[in-house]
Amino acid sequence: MHPVDETMTAPPGRRQRARRGQGDRLREEILDATSALLLERGDHQAVDIRSVCQVVGITPPAVYLHFADKAALIQATCERHFRSLDDFVGAAVAGATDPMDELRCRGRAYVRFGIEHPEQYRILFMSRQAHGKEPPGGELLEACGFAALVDNVTRLVEAGAIGHHDPVLVATGLWTVVHGVTSLAISIPHYPVTGLDALLEHLLGTHMRGLAGP
C-alpha cells in the first residue's frame, strides 16, 4: 500500500469548483495568497503549494492548472508585485524640478521599494534560480523602471548635464549602483551607518560628476 501524499489532500473548507470563465480570478487569488505568505514568513523556501492551497481553499491540481510548479508560482507572484514599482517611483518623481533632481528621487524610491519588499527583491534580483540561464525579460526590465531610467538619462544628456554617452549604458550603470545599495541594505542590518539618503546622494553625485567630464 502506497503512503498518502499529504500535499494532495484537500484542505478544510475547500471552495466550490470555479465556474467557466472564473479561472483568471482563481489565478489572482492564488497569487494573492502566495504574496501574503511570502510577507508573513519572509522566506520563499517556507512557502509551498500546500500552504497556498490551505489559504485559498483548493487542492494542488487547481494550482497546477495555472502554474507548472512552485518556482513558476513564486516568480509570477513577485513579478506581479514588482509591476507596481513603476507607479511607486513615478509618484516619487512627480514633483522633481529637473532631470537631475528626478534621478535622485528615482534612486531613493527604488531603494526604498526594495527594502519594503525584501523577499520579493531577493527572489527577482538576488537569486540565480529566478531566471535560470536566461537574462531578465523585457517585461521585468519594464517593471523595474528601466525604460523610464533610460528616458531620464537621455534628458540629462540633452540638457548638457552629462556628456554624450550611450543612455542605455549609463542607465545600466546607475541601476547597478542602486541595486548594490538595495541588496546590501536588505542583507546587512543597520546598513549603511551614514544613512541611505546620504549614501545615495554621495554615490549618484560622484557617478554623475564623472559622466559630466571636465
Side-chain angles (χ1 to χ4, degrees), residues 185-209:
I186 288 173
S187 303
I188 302 175
H190 311 300
Y191 170 91
V193 294
T194 58
L196 278 172
D197 285 347
L199 178 63
L200 281 171
E201 183 67 26
H202 167 71
L203 290 174
L204 293 175
T206 301
H207 196 90
M208 299 309 290
R209 284 192 296 272

Side-chain angles (χ1 to χ4, degrees), residues 128-140:
R128 184 181 299 273
Q129 218 174 9
H131 306 294
K133 297 180 180 179
E134 298 298 324
E139 183 179 348
L140 178 56

Side-chain angles (χ1 to χ4, degrees), residues 1-132:
M1 182 175 180
H2 295 290
V4 175
D5 182 357
E6 292 186 351
T7 63
M8 300 298 292
T9 57
R14 183 173 61 184
R15 58 181 289 148
Q16 294 181 345
R17 184 181 180 87
R19 296 178 181 176
R20 185 182 300 274
Q22 292 184 333
D24 288 344
R25 188 173 73 180
L26 176 57
R27 185 180 189 276
E28 292 303 307
E29 289 182 23
I30 293 170
L31 290 172
D32 286 340
T34 307
S35 180
L37 288 169
L38 281 173
L39 293 174
E40 174 188 328
R41 300 182 180 182
D43 182 0
H44 70 280
Q45 300 286 0
V47 177
D48 55 23
I49 297 293
R50 182 181 181 183
S51 60
V52 172
C53 289
Q54 289 175 335
V55 172
V56 183
I58 56 177
T59 56
V63 176
Y64 294 127
L65 286 174
H66 299 278
F67 305 97
D69 50 28
K70 173 190 166 179
L73 170 60
I74 294 293
Q75 184 169 344
T77 302
C78 294
E79 287 180 355
R80 186 187 71 158
H81 195 77
F82 262 71
R83 291 188 189 105
S84 61
L85 177 55
D86 262 345
D87 292 337
F88 187 86
V89 175
V93 305
T97 56
D98 56 57
M100 188 64 75
D101 184 42
E102 178 182 332
L103 184 68
R104 294 189 180 95
C105 294
R106 189 177 301 280
R108 287 194 293 266
Y110 180 96
V111 174
R112 188 166 72 251
F113 189 92
I115 291 172
E116 291 177 2
H117 308 90
E119 189 60 19
Q120 288 88 339
Y121 196 92
R122 286 192 190 97
I123 294 167
L124 279 178
F125 299 120
M126 298 169 67
S127 171
R128 184 181 299 273
Q129 218 174 9
H131 306 294

Side-chain angles (χ1 to χ4, degrees), residues 143-200:
C144 69
F146 188 73
L149 177 58
V150 172
D151 176 70
N152 194 164
V153 171
T154 300
R155 285 183 280 113
L156 284 166
V157 174
E158 292 172 347
I162 63 176
H164 290 281
H165 302 280
D166 178 1
V168 175
L169 180 61
V170 173
T172 302
L174 290 167
W175 185 22
T176 302
V177 170
V178 294
H179 166 70
V181 172
T182 306
S183 59
L184 286 169
I186 288 173
S187 303
I188 302 175
H190 311 300
Y191 170 91
V193 294
T194 58
L196 278 172
D197 285 347
L199 178 63
L200 281 171

